[in-house]
Amino acid sequence: MKRREFIIISGAAAIAAACAPKKSPSSAPAEGPEQMVLRENPVNGDKVSLLGFGCMRWPMIKDADGKDVIDQEAVNEMVDYAIAHGVNYFDTSPAYLQGQSEKAAGEALSRHPRESYYIATKLSNFGDRSPEASIEMYRNSFRQLKTDYFDYYLLHSIGRGGKEAFNRRYVENGMIPFLRAEKAAGRIRNLGFSFHGSQQEFDYFMQLHDSGEQVWDFCQIEMNYVDWTHADGVRNANADYLYAELDKRGIPIVIMEPLLGGRLANVPAGIARQMKEREPDMSIASWAFRFCGTFPRVLCTLSGMTSMDPLQDNIKTFGHFKPLTDEELDFLERMATQMKEYPLVNCTDCKYCMPCPWGIDIPGTFQHYNRAITEGTYAQSSQQKDYRKLKKAYLVSYDRAVASVRQADHCIGCGVCLSHCPQNIAIPDQLRRIANYINNLKQNTL
Amino acid sequence: MLKKIRIWAALLFWLGITLLLMDVSGVLHGYLGWMAKVQFLPAVLALNVGVIVALVLLTLIFGRVYCSVICPLGVFQDGISWLGTHRSKKPYQYKKELKWLRYGVWVLFVIALIAGVQVLVALLAPYSAYGRMVQNLLQPLYLWGANGIEALAERMGSYAIYPREVWMRSLPTFLIALGTLIVIVVLSFKGGRTYCNTICPVGTTLSFFSRFAMFRPVIDADKCKHCKACELHCKAQCIAIGKDSEKIDYSRCVDCFNCIDECKFGALQYRWAWGKADSSPSAQNDIKGQNDSGRRAFMTGTAVAAGTLALKGIEAKAQSLKKVDGGFAEVLPKEAPKREVPITPPGSASVKDFYRHCTGCQLCVAQCPNNVLRPSTDLERLMQPEMSFEKGFCRPECTRCSEVCPTGAICKIEKEEKTLYHIGTAHVNRSLCVAEDGTACGKCAQMCPTGAIVMVDNEGMGNQIPTVNEEVCIGCGACEFYCPARPVSAITVNGRNQHC
């Protein structure tokens, strides 16, 4: 099914109609008080804000011992602001931010009435998947989040490895029946999963749903205007397929990586110009969020907001929400095609690959490299104009961004990271590509 | 007038050499490198006959202007003594030449030079002493300052200044530099050019010529009122004004022209005085047997510290079950292995040759952009540089040390020639190698610029481990630097005695 077809079928028309008067082509900034869009969960009637707070990218500071800790003060401020502006969905995991995310979320959220927000967390038993450790992880989440029930509980990142991997992590250790019992006891209100994998792997989970063996209350998928039809398509399914399958079954969808870890907020200059020509007063990121919100089956779009600035910008986007027109969707499709022409690394800075046992700063290296490409400060040949300036800028900024012992040239290619990457990046190959690029810069052999 | 010219020329020279010794950008040596190459002892060690002849002629014609203008340590002392005495009305007075000390040190120095006891040479030579002080004491301050500005530059998105690591390359050399500084400051604060005229072997060498200089400051006995103004302002303390006698010891005069400025009666003039009787009471006017070059010597009893690489085996890095996302694994700093033969830079013909020529001026150490060079802590070659690869390796495109070396210890090479210098050979210590337990690595082979590392099957483990083709290895240290085994690399470089 094509994107446009099912938008029509699936009732986007209703939303579009509601917003129709505002949809002037000149698109002046919307007037009036902001009103966070709420989506109703058809299963249980939850009124969920279309913007959800992803708790994976909170700011870290150094404590007295030099250890990285979450900046709780900043988190409290952001959470208060978010709740005051209608955000009511908070998504965390025991694995995020070196295991500190849940606790910080609990600190910030417990200052508000429990019924004023929904908590989503996950069974992130990537390491020890024994029943004891898995149950302990589940129980610990209650303590960290200072609650006695979870609104949304997810099997964290399933898909890759298909049925076998799923069985190992959740079936053989008895966690599925355990969680079902917990749901029956009211401690889990919605049971779902987050997905990274291929079409075939996804089909297996839909099959479980169809047969009634495991009914999913909701599902979290990676969706944005690039992954819509430009995911690698082999090991990572395109989002248009995943959306259609879930929509068909009426399963509410939570969206992750709407911005690809910020890459869709900081796009190459040529693409940014085209967006600004259309919406001079809207941020580049707002396009990505409007894309997600345009689809009616989407319950919530998670954004891992690192500071007040993106939070305020997102609240502006969703507070005066304007779904995309068909013409605008076509435009984003063209932008996605153009973006694929840049040699970017598909990293979303989720840090699942970290810590690298050899100390490499994998996301830091990729982020720095992507930034240079996006910003056009990327030397392509030693013959080009400004080569010396670009070379120095790249090398100096790399040294500033990543400590030299953690740079790409130290990767030994052990491949431990490979299985952790939800984006399926060939991390050692990409690191070597960047190390070679840098070596060529140093030797002027580019 | 003459004094002003001297001061400006001296400041320019001093600033140039000091910047050269601190520079990390690699830009300055193209413009200022010659300033190091015209220093006397480096020229002697480099057998740079042109420079030696020019400096001797300069001294024979104009006196020891070298000491007042070209020598950075001399100018530095002038600065210190100005601080110590410019408020005083009678800062100096004539002192007798300390012959035994002056010539004793000189003889010792020449013997050390001939015998190849470079520690003593580096300790006494003025340019080495100055380089040591700048590299150890001033460069860190300069870099900290630059790093401070760098933080600002970063905020403004500028890449003009970039951060450099400040680290102590060798504690003994640092302490010696500190000691040198203290001695120099103490001697010059009130004593003017005491160091130059009692200890400095280059000063003594030049004094053999300066006493016959064609141009010298001369006192006109008819005009002299014996007011002692000149004597009291002579930093070299070499003017003796008696009741009706006036003498200048030209072996010690460094042509600073302070006396000419001070004389109110115009009795002092810098003028042609060729063949005039030397008014110095010096005994040693025989300059036969000057051995300006010391270049025999042996060296290197090659400390065969039979210290095996007795290194604790690292635990195979437990790929411990990943539990949470983010954070960094600890990366231990590298420790230098014991090297039976020291590694000296490409461009040095052999280890022996290198240490015989090097004056330990630290210019290459200060300039090395890869943090490879540092002063040795080995007693035999204390303060003279050696290479080690904990913080970087000798990159194939870099020939900086060969460009700056003023003594010919490192001859100028082109980067294409680098592979012709086999400065060392890598060895694999399998007990430390991460591939030993089956981990796929091969980092050393991947980084080796000459393809000297051959990966072979690791029997029964299904992976490959490195071996070294000794003939192809050039000893650049890329393998050692990149080896993931820490703190001691599983592949280490040992120096080669003969490089080409």
Side-chain angles (χ1 to χ4, degrees):
Chain A
M1 183 183 338
K2 280 238 175 96
R3 166 183 27 94
R4 198 171 310 172
E5 290 170 75
F6 69 69
I7 289 176
I8 295 164
I9 309 164
S10 60
I15 294 171
C19 303
K22 286 187 200 163
K23 222 171 43 178
S24 62
S26 70
S27 67
E31 304 286 325
E34 40 179 52
Q35 187 61 55
M36 175 58 61
V37 181
L38 297 177
R39 290 273 165 96
E40 187 171 321
N41 183 338
V43 182
N44 58 12
D46 282 355
K47 296 254 193 316
V48 178
S49 58
L50 188 49
L51 172 65
F53 210 132
C55 309
M56 192 178 83
R57 300 178 193 272
W58 274 334
M60 305 286 271
I61 49 172
K62 298 272 182 212
D63 72 357
D65 306 326
K67 247 185 63 193
D68 289 322
V69 291
I70 292 179
D71 182 352
Q72 187 69 44
E73 207 176 305
V75 168
N76 289 351
E77 190 192 359
M78 282 192 279
V79 167
D80 293 351
Y81 187 91
I83 289 179
H85 289 80
V87 175
N88 65 8
Y89 189 96
F90 294 83
D91 173 87
T92 179
S93 148
Y96 291 165
L97 293 167
Q98 304 177 44
Q100 301 174 39
S101 170
E102 276 188 338
K103 185 165 189 294
E107 289 284 323
L109 287 171
S110 59
R111 294 149 58 251
H112 296 270
R114 177 65 182 88
E115 61 283 359
S116 65
Y117 54 85
Y118 301 111
I119 288 182
T121 191
K122 315 189 177 75
L123 187 51
S124 314
N125 56 346
F126 299 109
D128 188 347
R129 52 174 180 259
S130 68
E132 299 76 27
S134 301
I135 290 171
E136 171 51 28
M137 178 173 269
Y138 168 77
R139 296 244 154 90
N140 190 47
S141 294
F142 286 105
R143 292 192 289 271
Q144 298 291 326
L145 286 160
K146 302 185 179 176
T147 183
D148 48 10
Y149 67 95
F150 299 133
D151 301 282
Y152 293 83
Y153 198 72
L154 299 92
L155 309 182
H156 195 175
S157 189
I158 58 175
R160 189 107 52 235
K163 184 180 174 181
E164 291 71 31
F166 175 70
N167 284 346
R168 275 197 304 273
R169 265 181 69 194
Y170 296 110
V171 181
E172 287 159 19
N173 58 9
M175 285 313 287
I176 289 285
F178 171 82
L179 292 173
R180 267 199 216 136
E182 289 294 298
K183 191 183 161 190
R187 285 188 282 273
I188 294 175
R189 294 183 55 237
N190 297 275
L191 185 59
F193 67 96
S194 64
F195 179 81
H196 290 286
S198 70
Q199 203 167 306
Q200 291 73 28
E201 287 161 339
F202 190 70
D203 288 344
Y204 173 68
F205 298 103
M206 291 301 98
Q207 211 180 301
L208 288 179
H209 183 85
D210 296 341
S211 67
E213 201 179 326
Q214 175 55 51
V215 174
W216 305 111
D217 301 323
F218 70 105
C219 179
Q220 185 164 313
I221 59 168
E222 175 171 327
M223 182 171 133
N224 51 65
Y225 59 84
V226 172
D227 283 320
W228 188 249
T229 55
H230 298 275
D232 71 12
V234 184
R235 293 202 57 197
N236 275 350
N238 284 332
D240 64 345
Y241 178 82
L242 304 179
Y243 182 89
E245 290 297 308
L246 293 165
D247 186 45
K248 204 156 70 187
R249 294 172 173 84
I251 300 175
I253 300 170
V254 175
I255 289 180
M256 56 181 159
E257 300 293 1
L259 279 186
L260 284 174
R263 271 197 289 134
L264 301 186
N266 185 11
V267 296
I271 293 170
R273 200 186 57 242
Q274 297 175 63
M275 291 180 167
K276 282 293 175 186
E277 272 167 5
R278 287 167 168 262
E279 292 282 4
D281 300 322
M282 297 289 271
S283 65
I284 302 297
S286 71
W287 283 95
F289 287 111
R290 287 172 64 207
F291 175 85
C292 295
T294 299
F295 296 89
R297 189 62 71 189
V298 171
L299 183 67
C300 182
T301 308
L302 297 175
S303 175
M305 294 164 283
T306 52
S307 72
M308 289 297 279
D309 307 299
L311 174 60
Q312 285 166 345
D313 184 54
N314 291 349
I315 281 172
K316 189 175 141 200
T317 303
F318 285 103
H320 300 288
F321 187 69
K322 288 190 303 175
L324 298 174
T325 62
D326 286 353
E327 195 276 327
E328 286 171 323
L329 287 168
D330 282 341
F331 165 70
L332 283 186
E333 166 60 26
R334 288 200 303 279
M335 294 305 101
T337 313
Q338 288 180 19
M339 217 170 290
K340 279 285 157 182
E341 284 161 22
Y342 292 86
L344 295 160
V345 182
N346 278 342
C347 174
T348 67
D349 195 24
C350 72
K351 299 190 171 65
Y352 284 19
C353 54
M354 297 293 283
C356 158
W358 303 99
I360 311 298
D361 185 355
I362 300 167
T365 296
F366 290 158
Q367 293 297 305
H368 174 264
Y369 178 79
N370 282 349
R371 207 174 308 127
I373 290 171
T374 314
E375 291 169 3
T377 55
Y378 172 81
Q380 285 167 341
S381 145
S382 54
Q383 304 307 313
Q384 95 192 76
K385 208 177 114 236
D386 282 349
Y387 166 75
R388 288 174 64 87
K389 216 176 120 195
L390 293 174
K391 167 186 170 178
K392 191 169 180 199
Y394 192 93
L395 295 178
V396 173
S397 59
Y398 190 35
D399 281 346
R400 283 174 183 166
V402 180
S404 72
V405 291
R406 301 195 185 283
Q407 292 183 356
D409 51 350
H410 286 273
C411 167
I412 68 162
C414 71
V416 167
C417 48
L418 284 170
S419 65
H420 299 304
C421 180
Q423 306 302 324
N424 197 29
I425 300 168
I427 293 172
D429 293 351
Q430 292 290 346
L431 285 174
R432 189 188 275 218
R433 179 167 76 89
I434 293 172
N436 286 343
Y437 170 69
I438 289 164
N439 208 32
N440 283 331
L441 276 184
K442 287 185 174 169
Q443 303 193 356
N444 297 323
T445 49
L446 199 67
Chain B
M1 180 63 193
L2 280 170
K3 183 180 168 185
K4 276 214 177 94
I5 294 173
R6 186 265 300 174
I7 289 176
W8 282 107
L11 278 176
L12 280 178
F13 242 97
W14 175 80
L15 199 66
I17 293 184
T18 307
L19 285 174
L20 180 68
L21 282 161
M22 291 194 304
D23 175 48
V24 285
S25 67
V27 177
L28 288 184
H29 74 267
Y31 304 99
L32 302 176
W34 62 274
M35 288 188 168
K37 291 186 170 121
V38 300
Q39 298 294 319
F40 191 80
L41 186 66
V44 168
L45 286 161
L47 275 185
N48 197 338
V49 180
V51 170
I52 301 169
V53 169
L55 290 178
V56 168
L57 280 179
L58 179 78
T59 313
L60 270 175
I61 298 172
F62 297 108
R64 283 170 62 181
V65 285
Y66 175 90
C67 302
S68 274
V69 175
I70 300 175
C71 175
L73 193 70
V75 180
F76 175 70
Q77 290 179 84
D78 283 351
I80 299 293
S81 57
W82 181 81
L83 289 176
T85 61
H86 75 283
R87 280 193 201 85
S88 155
K89 284 211 169 114
K90 298 176 175 178
Y92 306 107
Q93 62 176 30
Y94 177 77
K95 282 221 175 79
K96 273 201 164 163
E97 190 187 12
L98 284 172
K99 272 189 202 158
W100 60 272
L101 187 56
R102 191 178 190 192
Y103 299 108
V105 171
W106 187 81
V107 168
L108 202 66
F109 181 80
V110 172
I111 291 172
L113 201 58
I114 295 168
V117 186
Q118 294 289 358
V119 183
L120 206 60
V121 174
L123 197 65
L124 293 171
Y127 170 65
S128 308
Y130 188 70
R132 180 162 72 230
M133 296 194 307
V134 171
Q135 198 283 314
N136 279 281
L137 308 173
L138 196 57
Q139 195 186 40
L141 303 179
Y142 172 77
L143 291 179
W144 275 324
N147 287 350
I149 300 171
E150 190 272 336
L152 216 70
E154 181 178 3
R155 223 168 292 163
M156 301 193 308
S158 158
Y159 301 106
I161 302 173
Y162 48 94
R164 293 284 305 214
E165 189 185 355
V166 182
W167 59 289
M168 189 189 288
R169 288 159 176 82
S170 151
L171 181 64
T173 304
F174 175 83
L175 293 176
I176 293 171
L178 199 62
T180 310
L181 179 72
I182 293 170
V183 168
I184 295 288
V185 168
V186 166
L187 285 181
S188 60
F189 194 72
K190 288 283 178 201
R193 292 298 195 112
T194 306
Y195 169 86
C196 308
N197 284 327
T198 46
I199 298 170
C200 178
V202 173
T204 309
T205 305
L206 293 176
S207 79
F208 299 136
F209 304 100
S210 72
R211 67 192 74 200
F212 305 108
M214 295 176 189
F215 288 91
R216 320 169 204 167
V218 178
I219 303 174
D220 185 339
D222 296 337
K223 291 183 180 168
C224 179
K225 307 274 194 253
H226 303 101
C227 71
K228 288 197 171 207
C230 53
E231 178 184 329
L232 295 173
H233 288 89
C234 178
K235 292 179 308 202
Q237 297 166 306
C238 69
I239 305 179
I241 305 291
K243 276 224 170 72
D244 39 29
S245 68
E246 58 285 323
K247 262 192 216 163
I248 298 178
D249 176 358
Y250 292 113
S251 83
R252 287 189 283 158
C253 172
V254 294
D255 293 290
C256 71
F257 309 129
N258 283 2
C259 50
I260 297 175
D261 250 35
E262 289 298 328
C263 184
K264 295 187 191 77
F265 311 105
L268 266 152
Q269 267 188 315
Y270 182 66
R271 63 173 173 84
W272 178 261
W274 178 250
K276 301 270 155 60
D278 176 10
S279 55
S280 103
S282 162
Q284 189 124 1
N285 51 8
D286 184 2
I287 56 160
K288 281 200 299 266
Q290 290 313 317
N291 243 323
D292 25 292
S293 65
R295 46 189 29 275
R296 12 250 90 148
F298 58 106
M299 180 72 244
T300 335
T302 312
V304 184
T308 54
L309 298 175
L311 314 162
K312 59 178 176 333
I314 48 154
E315 305 278 314
K317 271 221 168 183
Q319 307 293 350
S320 58
L321 285 171
K322 182 183 148 63
K323 292 211 176 67
V324 295
D325 305 329
F328 293 112
E330 191 188 3
V331 179
L332 294 174
K334 288 233 173 194
E335 277 170 20
K338 262 229 154 24
R339 304 187 206 275
E340 290 173 19
V341 179
I343 311 171
T344 64
S348 57
S350 68
V351 170
K352 216 159 117 177
D353 193 72
F354 176 77
Y355 287 119
R356 204 192 295 152
H357 284 75
C358 172
T359 60
C361 74
Q362 315 299 326
L363 182 55
C364 58
V365 175
Q367 288 270 345
C368 178
N370 299 307
N371 286 327
V372 167
L373 283 163
R374 73 281 313 270
S376 175
T377 50
D378 192 297
L379 197 61
E380 268 181 283
R381 38 180 185 276
L382 196 67
M383 296 183 281
Q384 293 181 302
E386 62 186 16
M387 296 166 78
S388 200
F389 308 115
E390 293 77 56
K391 290 173 185 285
F393 69 103
C394 191
R395 290 196 58 91
E397 71 275 10
C398 177
T399 52
R400 182 98 60 93
C401 55
S402 87
E403 287 156 25
V404 299
C405 179
T407 68
I410 316 169
C411 299
K412 173 89 184 73
I413 57 168
E414 299 298 324
K415 69 176 183 215
E416 291 76 15
E417 292 175 80
K418 271 194 98 167
T419 48
L420 301 179
Y421 285 86
H422 289 210
I423 57 172
T425 310
H427 297 273
V428 179
N429 180 346
R430 285 189 56 159
S431 66
L432 296 182
C433 182
V434 302
E436 187 65 12
D437 68 355
T439 305
C441 182
K443 189 69 201 173
C444 48
Q446 186 200 335
M447 300 317 282
C448 177
T450 62
I453 297 172
V454 185
M455 297 300 288
V456 298
D457 285 337
N458 186 9
E459 227 172 285
M461 302 304 285
N463 70 334
Q464 293 195 311
I465 52 160
T467 60
V468 179
N469 180 344
E470 293 84 356
E471 286 307 304
V472 184
C473 175
I474 57 170
C476 71
C479 52
E480 182 179 321
F481 173 62
Y482 280 112
C483 177
R486 285 170 181 271
V488 179
S489 299
I491 184 162
T492 53
V493 179
N494 197 13
R496 264 169 66 116
N497 289 302
Q498 197 63 33
H499 295 168
C500 54

